[in-house]
Amino acid sequence: MKPKKVHEVARLAKYVNHLTTELSLNRSCQVGHFVDFGSGQNYLGRALASAPYNRKVLALESKPLNIDGARNMDVSAKLAKKEVIMRNKKQFRRQNYGKHHNVKDLIPTLDSDDDRLAAPISADKDPAHGCNDKLEPNENNIQYIETIIQDGDLSSVLSRLPQQSNPPQRELIIISLHSCGNLLHHGLRSLTLNPSVRAVALVGCCYNLLTERLAPSPSPQPNLRSRHPRLQQTSSACDPHGFPMSERFMKYPHAHGPGIRFNITARMMAVQAPQNWTEKECHGFFTRHFYRALFQRILVDKGAIDGRITGTEDDRSDFASEEKSSPIILGSLRKQCYASFTTYVRAAIDKLNDDPIHAGRIRSRMSGLSDEEIAGYEKKFGHKKKELSIVWSLMAFSAGVVESAIVVDRWQWLREQEEVKDCWVESVFDYGISPRNLVVVGIKG
């Protein structure tokens, strides 16, 4: 683990273990399992299953690759034994070396002393032991279930837990380390939808992946973005699992109508941590944004893309509708491409030559672009880098406001539930190490 992950896992494992102890002593709650939403490589669950905590963990994860990796790390951490599979050596050799090889010729080099055959073979590599939406028990405190969490109802998942004869009444605590988007909302709702869930302790992140519960604001908004299909779809989805959760935020009155809304720009800003920016990081960050913005200006000036705002009378008629609705998505470039603006432009054009929609137009319009012309753009608009940096910084400093509103909405939702007796929000990580450090806790009475 990287130092950041070590810090997060150590702090949160200690926190939820202490919470469990308090529930046991003060509320007569006997916790059977921690249920980890979106366990990934299961770093948190592995820490809780190990000494000194020795807790039972049910890890819910949607990606089989993550589960396989986590189970391999359980073996490395001596929390599970590597399963041994007995095979017929001759048949195994035929399958791996083909029917046309002489098996006798292979015996001297692949005998029983060969490490490749004598070594135990993990069940993780056997297709018969694949993880297809079923329980994967270990001999230790960790169990894995491959599942896609779409709401807070865990009845189908919990029904697959092994049943014991005359089991004592054991309750569950839902935990998560950096739940992306709506996953934290599902974790909170599990508290009221599942009788066996007694408490939740969840740390969220990736606010840009949240969906929106309310329709777009009826007030006029500056149309500064292209009409990307995904942005159009998510902004008008009215997803019942999205933001806001609480009725107070849903009905909060203001000048532009009831309800608090955050568009994609605001939610993307919420994941920024400007207090942690260093001078070196700022220089690289703003240079990348300046190069991308200036490259966009060249594309517009050369007629490679439409520079007008869509949906207005100024739309150019010579652009196909597909080109209008499909923005230029450049993505990341190699570090050496940012050595100079000329290097960046050449690398960007090379990459866009493979774009299935815009490649033809970019090739035809950008073919005569010289290095002198590129340098001229940088000289002419170089002063704009400072302005861009100021605007981006001001936007980023709104991160605390947006994140606070999102977290307060989740806390307010817990307050509105009759079943919830106590709920609070507090920081569990050092902000300088992990800025998404707020844990939302809810406990049923």
Side-chain angles (χ1 to χ4, degrees):
M1 290 188 289
K2 295 182 178 180
K4 176 177 179 289
K5 182 64 70 175
V6 172
H7 174 81
E8 293 166 347
V9 169
R11 288 284 188 93
L12 190 56
K14 183 177 180 180
Y15 183 90
V16 296
N17 181 73
H18 177 73
L19 177 64
T20 303
T21 303
E22 290 293 317
L23 289 174
S24 177
L25 294 176
N26 301 327
R27 301 174 188 265
S28 300
C29 172
Q30 298 299 318
V31 176
H33 284 81
F34 286 105
V35 182
D36 190 355
F37 268 38
S39 59
Q41 298 288 325
N42 198 33
Y43 295 116
L44 177 60
R46 193 172 299 107
L48 288 168
S50 305
Y53 307 122
N54 298 316
R55 300 286 186 174
K56 293 186 178 296
V57 177
L58 180 61
L60 307 184
E61 173 58 35
S62 63
K63 297 180 179 179
L65 186 63
N66 284 340
I67 294 178
D68 291 341
R71 290 158 68 203
N72 288 335
M73 282 188 277
D74 290 344
V75 174
S76 300
K78 302 188 184 303
L79 289 173
K81 294 181 180 180
K82 194 169 186 178
E83 188 173 349
V84 177
I85 298 176
M86 304 302 294
R87 286 195 176 102
N88 183 302
K89 289 185 179 180
K90 291 184 178 180
Q91 182 180 1
F92 177 73
R93 290 167 184 162
R94 291 193 189 100
Q95 291 174 348
N96 285 271
Y97 296 95
K99 298 180 180 179
H100 301 292
H101 287 279
N102 189 338
V103 176
K104 293 182 179 180
D105 294 338
L106 297 174
I107 291 177
T109 56
L110 294 176
D111 55 20
S112 58
D113 294 329
D114 194 305
D115 291 339
R116 287 173 289 179
L117 293 180
I121 300 173
S122 171
D124 295 345
K125 304 301 182 183
D126 194 319
H129 292 75
C131 184
N132 293 316
D133 203 25
K134 65 180 182 179
L135 183 68
E136 295 292 340
N138 286 320
E139 297 178 355
N140 50 71
N141 292 335
I142 305 176
Q143 296 171 318
Y144 294 96
I145 292 182
E146 181 193 339
T147 185
I148 298 176
I149 302 171
Q150 297 180 331
D151 54 40
D153 186 1
L154 300 179
S155 55
S156 62
V157 173
L158 299 181
S159 65
R160 285 176 274 168
L161 282 172
Q163 300 296 322
Q164 301 175 356
S165 58
N166 300 320
Q169 184 63 32
R170 310 289 282 183
E171 296 176 295
L172 309 174
I173 293 183
I174 306 297
I175 59 174
S176 187
L177 174 56
H178 289 156
S179 304
C180 289
N182 290 353
L183 184 59
L184 189 138
H185 292 181
H186 301 330
L188 292 177
R189 289 192 170 95
S190 69
L191 186 61
T192 60
L193 295 176
N194 304 278
S196 58
V197 175
R198 185 65 181 273
V200 295
L202 309 167
V203 181
C205 73
C206 301
Y207 303 123
N208 54 305
L209 298 180
L210 284 172
T211 57
E212 299 173 37
R213 187 177 172 190
L214 295 170
S217 174
S219 61
Q221 298 290 327
N223 191 3
L224 301 179
R225 286 183 173 271
S226 60
R227 293 187 175 181
H228 191 286
R230 181 179 62 83
L231 297 180
Q232 294 289 329
Q233 182 180 3
T234 56
S235 65
S236 58
C238 299
D239 185 357
H241 300 290
F243 172 86
M245 293 185 70
S246 67
E247 289 301 309
R248 182 166 186 179
F249 273 57
M250 278 284 293
K251 300 176 181 179
Y252 187 82
H254 53 85
H256 300 294
I260 295 178
R261 301 167 174 83
F262 288 131
N263 60 22
I264 181 62
T265 302
R267 288 185 275 113
M268 288 184 69
M269 287 298 107
V271 300
Q272 297 294 328
Q275 294 91 328
N276 291 349
W277 291 355
T278 65
E279 183 177 355
K280 182 179 179 180
E281 290 172 342
C282 286
H283 175 74
F285 177 80
F286 292 132
T287 297
R288 292 192 298 271
H289 278 274
F290 173 65
Y291 282 179
R292 181 62 183 89
L294 190 52
F295 179 60
Q296 189 81 0
R297 178 59 186 260
I298 296 177
L299 293 174
V300 171
D301 288 351
K302 292 294 183 180
I305 61 172
D306 188 358
R308 309 297 179 90
I309 296 175
T310 57
T312 69
E313 296 179 356
D314 293 331
D315 275 354
R316 295 181 182 178
S317 59
D318 61 333
F319 278 83
S321 59
E322 187 177 21
E323 286 182 305
K324 281 186 179 182
S325 61
S326 301
I328 294 287
I329 300 177
L330 182 57
S332 61
L333 297 174
R334 295 188 303 273
K335 186 177 180 180
Q336 55 265 36
C337 296
Y338 295 92
S340 68
F341 183 57
T342 301
T343 306
Y344 175 85
V345 171
R346 295 304 180 195
I349 293 175
D350 288 343
K351 185 173 183 178
L352 292 177
N353 281 335
D354 297 327
D355 188 282
I357 297 175
H358 302 279
R361 196 176 191 91
I362 287 176
R363 275 194 293 265
S364 63
R365 298 301 180 95
M366 304 291 283
S367 58
L369 186 65
S370 65
D371 289 352
E372 292 75 16
E373 194 173 0
I374 296 172
Y377 270 92
E378 185 176 18
K379 183 177 180 181
K380 180 179 179 181
F381 295 100
H383 65 282
K384 293 290 185 179
K385 180 179 179 181
K386 182 176 181 180
E387 296 179 14
L388 183 147
S389 303
I390 293 171
V391 171
W392 248 99
S393 298
L394 290 174
M395 292 171 62
F397 276 103
S398 69
V401 177
V402 180
E403 181 179 28
S404 296
I406 293 173
V407 174
V408 167
D409 170 61
R410 294 166 174 176
W411 170 71
Q412 177 63 28
W413 182 87
L414 288 170
R415 293 183 64 203
E416 294 172 354
Q417 310 309 307
E418 293 183 1
E419 303 94 327
V420 178
K421 182 176 182 181
D422 291 326
C423 58
W424 65 87
V425 176
E426 62 181 314
S427 62
V428 286
F429 311 139
D430 184 334
Y431 187 90
I433 300 175
S434 179
R436 304 283 80 77
N437 65 344
L438 298 176
V439 60
V440 182
V441 180
I443 301 173
K444 281 199 293 198

